[in-house]
Structure formats: C-alpha cells, structure tokens
Amino acid sequence: MIKIVIIGSGNVATHLIKTFNRSNKVKVIQSFNRKGLSVAGIPATDNYEALETADLYLIAVSDDAISEVSAKLPFKGRLVAHTSGSVALEELSPENRRGVFYPLQSFSRDKDVDFSKIPLCIEAENDRDREILEYVARSISQRVHPVNSEQRRSLHLAAVFVNNFVNHLYAIGDDICRKNDLPFDLLKPLIAETAKKIEHMPPVEAQTGPARRNDQNTLQKHLNQLNLHPTYKKIYELLTKSIQEQQYDSI
Amino acid sequence: MIKIVIIGSGNVATHLIKTFNRSNKVKVIQSFNRKGLSVAGIPATDNYEALETADLYLIAVSDDAISEVSAKLPFKGRLVAHTSGSVALEELSPENRRGVFYPLQSFSRDKDVDFSKIPLCIEAENDRDREILEYVARSISQRVHPVNSEQRRSLHLAAVFVNNFVNHLYAIGDDICRKNDLPFDLLKPLIAETAKKIEHMPPVEAQTGPARRNDQNTLQKHLNQLNLHPTYKKIYELLTKSIQEQQYDSI
Ligand SMILES: NC(=O)c1ccc[n+]([C@@H]2O[C@H](COP(=O)([O-])OP(=O)(O)OC[C@H]3O[C@@H](n4cnc5c(N)ncnc54)[C@H](OP(=O)(O)O)[C@@H]3O)[C@@H](O)[C@H]2O)c1
Ligand SMILES: NC(=O)c1ccc[n+]([C@@H]2O[C@H](COP(=O)([O-])OP(=O)(O)OC[C@H]3O[C@@H](n4cnc5c(N)ncnc54)[C@H](OP(=O)(O)O)[C@@H]3O)[C@@H](O)[C@H]2O)c1
C-alpha cells in the first residue's frame, strides 16, 4: 500500500484526499495545512517537522507557494510532486526526487468530482518515480498520461483557451442577453450542443457561422451592433480573422 | 389542424419537416425545393405556381435567398415566416403577412434533433399571427419565446460568440495539442465541465484562471509560449484584457 501525504487544504487537495480515501491501493496517511485542519477524517498537522514518512508527498498549494513549501520540507531523497499545470518541475527543491501530478480538470469546491474520467498528466525525473506516480494515478483514474514539461505547459495553455476563454465568451453571451432583456437560458441548449459536437468531430470540421462562410453581409451587421462595446467588437474582428486563417483545405 | 408548406430542403427544413410529422396539431402538406425532391415522404414541388393553400409558409432557405424566394410567392395576404436569426422581418415581401420562426440551435445534417428543448424565437407583425406562430412552435417545443427584431438580432450575435467563436477556441486547443504530440482527447473532460458549469452558475461567477487572478507570472509565460503564433497571442492578450475589464464587483 503506497503511503501519501497531501500538503494543502484547498480545492485540489480536498478532492484528492476524498478520492484516494476510496481507493484500496493507496492511503493518505496525513494532511498538512497551515491551520492544521483535518480534511475528510485524515490526521492533520501544521508543522513541517511533524510530517510522517511516506512514499509520496503531493503539494497541492497555490502555484506561487509551491517552491517555498517544497523548500521547507525537512527531509531529502523522497518523492515530492506538485499538482500544477503551469509550474516547472524545477521549481521544486532539488533536495528531493521531483515529480508532477497534474489533473487536467477545473474543480469547484462544492461539487463532487469523478476522477475516473479526469486525465492525470504525470511527470518525473526517472522511470522508477514515473512508475510510482503512474501507479498512484491509475488507482483513481483510467486516463493517465506521462508528459514532458513542454507538453504539460502546452496543455495548461490549451486549457486556458478551452476553459477560461470559452467561459468568458459565455459571459459575453450572457451580457448581450441581459442588455436586451433576454434570459441567458435561451443560449444554454446551443452551448451544450457546441460542446457535445466536438466529442466526435474535430473542431475545425465542426466550424460554422458567418466567419467560416465569409458572409460579409452578416459580419458587417454584427460589427455595427457592437459599436457601443469596443472590446467585444475587437474580439469579434480578431476571432473572425483567426477562423478565416485556419487551414480548412486540410480537412 | 394547421397546414404548413415548407420551402427549402436543407438542414433546418429537413429537421422541421421530420419533427412536424410527429405532431398531431400541425401538418406539413407540401415541401418546395428547387429539385422537387420529396423530404420525409411529404409531397414536393419545384414550381411556385403549384404551391398549395396553407395557414403558414415557412421559408427555410439560405439567408441571402430569403428575400428573393419570398418575392416569388404567387399569392397575397398569407402568413409567411423565415427561420433565420439574422435576416430582418422586412426582407420578406410585404405582399404577405410576415413573421419569423427562429430555432436557436446549431443543426447538423446527420444528427437527429430533439426540438422539445430548443428555444423557438418567434416574431410577427400582429397579435393574431404571433398566436399562430406560437401555436405551431408549441406543437414541437416547450421553449417558445416571442422576441422583437432587435432582440432576435442580439440573440444571433450572442450565438456567434457562444457557438462559432467557442468552437474556434476548441480548434485552437486542438491545434496546440497537435503541435505538441498530444491527443485533443485530453481536453474533452475540461470542455464538457466548462459547458456544464454555466447551467447552474452565471458565467461571470464561474470565471477562473490567470487572467481573473491577474497572475502576471503565468500570463507572461503563456504569452512567451505563443511567440510563434501572432494571431493566437493577440487572442490571448485581448481575451485576458476583456476578462479583466468585467465588472466582478457586481457579483
Ligand atoms: N483548481 C483547479 O481547478 C486546479 C486544477 C488543476 C490543478 N490545479 C493546481 O492545484 C494546486 C492547488 O490549487 P487549488 O485550486 O486547490 O488552490 P486553492 O483552492 O486556492 O487552495 C490553495 C491552497 O494552498 C495553500 N497555501 C497557499 N499558500 C501557502 C503557503 N505559503 N504555505 C502553505 N500552504 C499554502 C492554501 O492554504 P490556506 O488554506 O492555509 O491559505 C490552500 O490550502 C495549484 O498548483 C493549481 O495550479 C488546480
Ligand atoms: N443550420 C443551422 O444551424 C440554422 C439554425 C437556425 C436557423 N438557421 C436558418 O435556417 C435557414 C436555412 O438554413 P440551413 O442551415 O437549413 O441551410 P442549408 O442546409 O444550407 O440549406 C439551404 C437551402 O436553401 C435553398 N436555397 C438556396 N438558395 C435558394 C434559392 N435561390 N431558391 C430556393 N431555394 C434556395 C437550398 O436549396 P438547394 O438544395 O436547391 O440548393 C437549400 O435547400 C437560414 O435562414 C439559416 O440562417 C439555420
């Protein structure tokens, strides 16, 4: 049974602890956080010196605290991994064996998570440690992907486009509705269908709309409608241009 | 029983004919298209002079053919509606009573459609015609919304943001994955979760990510990663700026 200590008590730490608790291949033996609060019944500490001996230390704290926390660990040569998509493996202290255990999903505090479908992207400095991380990952998910640093950084960047930026376009849709006394609910079936379509079709093939058809008449009408909102207008122009730059002949 | 003639044999016309066929409140009595092809067993014609007398003529042809087709109808004073989100009601010939019957969804030719959840936005020049369109709409959908021209134009614009532009961001995610030898599949659970989240939470509240946190460190790293792709870099900068301009204090 692989023993894990989880550092942090935020979103990711809490979901991981709850999920590992249900696995019989790994065991979370301790939780560290600054308030020493127990998460999901796991013994907790707020004292680095009181950290137990474990096979893996998972640092699930804010990106900018990862380096500092890893430097405070009072031991050497053990396997320590962070859970961030954007932080370099090298930001972990070289005193320990370093790794990454990045769940490619967006977590909400109050919403239960089914880890079995979440891609876990793992990275390590040697095969042996990669095998440990892979074993731990497979204990909770069917989708485990060893990646290198460059690939993980790219995934995190892609995630910003398909999650943060997509959500912002939903917010613009919501804003346009509000300003015209329309319920945002009207757009929800379209949003759901748009997301569903790419499950079985590459997004470039699924592309439709005035930009794709180069329907100048509609494009011009839409730009006029956005005259009062210069930022939305720029987004409309830029995304239209980008759609038109795509290589459709390669389909 | 309301009698309908459907003009056009494309995506929308075909889905509408199939759906009305299942209703017992309305009946599609004839289909017009330039090849005179029968759709779903409905008698067809390619001759405007041979159009039957009906309570409603639905023009489901390409946006730029709506005006021309409506001008060719060889009768007066009947109810004629188009199915477009972006074409003005006034583009229909004034010889007939004019209306709009706009389904707010993106249709794929080969995929069956459940109209009962699709918002149908209807518009007419008087109450009586609006009632007819509403009756026809309710015969296939639970979500019928009378809108005015301005609102319909706004909905169509909002739909471009949440459908066409969102799909393009998926395509950029796909492109970033390909360029780094990663399967786009890795992003699919995140895409699904992002779309699901806004079903129960306003998108402005669901916003996360480096732009929202103003995490300059990550923002700068991402921009550097995009140096080889100026258009994606501009999109990253502009959407980051737009996220930061949003009024979060109003939450
Ligand atoms: N949220 C997601 O959707 C998601 C997805 C994939 C990966 N990740 C990654 O997972 C990691 C954790 O993210 P999260 O969303 O769980 O963050 P979070 O909910 O904001 O929680 C952050 C945690 O970090 C702790 N912390 C911050 N500074 C600290 C310090 N100097 N010393 C010790 N602990 C400190 C906080 O402790 P206190 O409670 O004591 O302040 C808190 O427990 C990050 O690297 C993030 O990039 C997040
Ligand atoms: N597709 C969607 O997701 C969607 C969603 C909501 C609303 N709409 C609206 O629904 C309408 C139809 O769209 P669609 O997607 O069904 O289009 P489509 O699949 O491209 O079909 C266009 C139809 O228009 C006919 N047509 C074109 N020019 C014509 C002309 N001069 N005279 C007679 N028929 C002509 C075509 O006939 P031929 O086969 O003979 O060329 C074809 O049947 C448009 O106003 C569109 O804005 C579409």
Side-chain angles (χ1 to χ4, degrees):
Chain A
M1 180 86 90
I2 298 242
K3 290 186 199 157
I4 306 177
V5 168
I6 294 196
I7 300 173
S9 57
N11 248 319
V12 171
T14 306
H15 286 302
L16 280 176
I17 290 174
K18 286 188 186 162
T19 307
F20 284 132
N21 270 353
R22 274 178 245 124
S23 154
N24 49 19
K25 292 187 173 165
V26 303
K27 188 175 165 64
V28 180
I29 56 165
Q30 192 182 31
S31 146
F32 171 98
N33 57 77
R34 292 185 287 188
K35 298 190 195 90
L37 293 172
S38 171
V39 180
I42 299 295
T45 180
D46 60 359
N47 177 2
Y48 286 101
E49 301 299 327
L51 285 172
E52 305 271 2
T53 303
D55 303 297
L56 171 62
Y57 297 80
L58 279 179
I59 302 186
V61 304
S62 323
D63 285 358
D64 54 12
I66 290 172
S67 169
E68 173 198 331
V69 166
S70 86
K72 283 189 182 156
L73 300 177
F75 45 71
K76 294 184 181 180
R78 301 190 194 166
L79 182 54
V80 175
H82 70 64
T83 61
S84 171
S86 67
V87 172
L89 181 128
E90 290 73 23
E91 290 194 34
L92 291 170
S93 156
E95 296 285 324
N96 284 294
R97 288 144 47 213
R98 302 177 290 191
V100 181
F101 191 94
Y102 168 46
L104 189 33
Q105 184 52 287
S106 158
F107 299 100
S108 308
R109 185 166 295 267
D110 307 318
K111 216 174 138 201
D112 268 354
V113 174
D114 174 9
F115 262 88
S116 67
K117 302 275 159 52
I118 297 180
L120 293 176
C121 302
I122 59 168
E123 206 181 315
E125 293 182 290
N126 61 60
D127 288 348
R128 176 88 192 89
D129 289 341
R130 194 173 304 106
E131 274 163 29
I132 298 175
L133 291 177
E134 213 166 315
Y135 181 88
V136 171
R138 287 202 191 286
S139 78
I140 54 173
S141 171
Q142 295 150 19
R143 309 176 75 166
V144 179
H145 293 263
V147 295
N148 61 37
S149 292
E150 179 65 24
Q151 287 177 314
R152 180 168 48 85
R153 269 195 297 273
S154 302
L155 279 174
H156 188 255
L157 175 63
V160 168
F161 279 89
V162 305
N163 170 17
N164 307 148
F165 290 168
V166 160
N167 184 76
H168 183 57
L169 296 183
Y170 297 159
I172 293 176
D174 187 8
D175 192 31
I176 294 174
C177 285
R178 271 168 213 268
K179 291 195 169 112
N180 291 278
D181 288 323
L182 292 159
F184 177 56
D185 275 1
L186 286 174
L187 296 178
K188 290 180 180 174
L190 181 61
I191 286 173
E193 182 66 21
T194 305
K196 234 170 92 186
K197 217 165 169 182
I198 56 89
E199 279 175 20
H200 306 289
M201 187 189 266
V204 169
E205 282 181 42
Q207 191 66 53
T208 57
R212 170 73 193 264
R213 290 194 307 276
N214 194 21
D215 172 353
Q216 285 300 330
N217 195 0
T218 304
L219 292 173
Q220 204 47 59
K221 277 194 265 184
H222 284 167
L223 289 173
N224 290 340
Q225 285 174 258
L226 290 169
N227 275 337
L228 288 176
H229 204 308
T231 303
Y232 293 173
K233 187 168 178 170
K234 275 189 209 141
I235 292 172
Y236 192 102
E237 284 170 324
L238 184 56
L239 290 175
T240 293
K241 173 169 171 276
S242 184
I243 288 171
Q244 298 187 336
E245 280 174 7
Q246 286 235 334
Q247 297 299 319
Y248 290 108
D249 32 54
S250 66
I251 295 176
Chain B
M1 178 87 91
I2 298 243
K3 291 186 197 159
I4 306 177
V5 168
I6 295 196
I7 300 174
S9 58
N11 247 319
V12 171
T14 306
H15 285 301
L16 280 176
I17 290 174
K18 286 187 186 161
T19 306
F20 284 131
N21 271 353
R22 273 178 245 126
S23 154
N24 49 18
K25 293 187 173 165
V26 303
K27 188 177 165 64
V28 180
I29 58 165
Q30 191 182 33
S31 146
F32 171 98
N33 57 78
R34 291 186 289 189
K35 299 190 193 90
L37 294 172
S38 170
V39 180
I42 299 296
T45 181
D46 59 357
N47 177 1
Y48 285 101
E49 301 299 328
L51 285 173
E52 305 271 2
T53 303
D55 303 296
L56 170 63
Y57 296 80
L58 277 180
I59 303 187
V61 305
S62 323
D63 285 358
D64 53 13
I66 290 172
S67 169
E68 174 197 330
V69 166
S70 86
K72 284 188 181 154
L73 300 178
F75 44 72
K76 294 183 182 181
R78 300 189 194 167
L79 181 55
V80 174
H82 71 65
T83 61
S84 171
S86 66
V87 172
L89 181 129
E90 290 72 23
E91 290 194 33
L92 292 169
S93 157
E95 297 285 328
N96 284 294
R97 288 144 46 213
R98 302 178 289 192
V100 181
F101 190 94
Y102 168 46
L104 189 33
Q105 183 52 289
S106 157
F107 298 100
S108 308
R109 186 165 294 267
D110 307 317
K111 216 175 139 202
D112 268 353
V113 174
D114 174 9
F115 262 86
S116 66
K117 301 276 160 51
I118 296 179
L120 294 176
C121 302
I122 60 169
E123 205 181 316
E125 293 181 292
N126 60 61
D127 288 347
R128 176 86 194 90
D129 288 341
R130 194 173 305 107
E131 274 163 30
I132 297 174
L133 291 176
E134 213 166 314
Y135 181 87
V136 171
R138 286 203 193 285
S139 78
I140 56 173
S141 171
Q142 296 150 19
R143 308 175 75 165
V144 180
H145 293 263
V147 294
N148 60 37
S149 291
E150 178 65 23
Q151 286 177 314
R152 178 167 49 86
R153 269 196 296 273
S154 302
L155 278 173
H156 188 256
L157 175 63
V160 168
F161 279 89
V162 305
N163 170 17
N164 307 148
F165 289 168
V166 160
N167 184 75
H168 183 57
L169 296 183
Y170 297 159
I172 293 176
D174 187 7
D175 192 31
I176 293 173
C177 284
R178 272 168 213 268
K179 289 194 170 115
N180 291 278
D181 288 324
L182 291 160
F184 177 55
D185 275 1
L186 286 174
L187 297 178
K188 289 180 180 173
L190 181 60
I191 286 173
E193 182 66 21
T194 305
K196 234 171 92 188
K197 216 164 168 182
I198 56 88
E199 280 175 19
H200 306 289
M201 188 190 265
V204 169
E205 281 180 43
Q207 191 66 53
T208 57
R212 170 75 195 262
R213 290 194 307 276
N214 194 22
D215 172 352
Q216 286 299 332
N217 195 0
T218 303
L219 292 173
Q220 205 46 60
K221 277 195 263 183
H222 284 166
L223 289 173
N224 290 340
Q225 285 174 258
L226 290 169
N227 274 338
L228 289 176
H229 204 307
T231 303
Y232 293 173
K233 187 168 178 171
K234 274 188 212 141
I235 292 172
Y236 193 101
E237 285 170 324
L238 183 56
L239 289 175
T240 294
K241 173 171 170 277
S242 184
I243 288 171
Q244 298 187 336
E245 280 173 8
Q246 287 233 336
Q247 297 299 321
Y248 291 109
D249 32 55
S250 66
I251 294 177

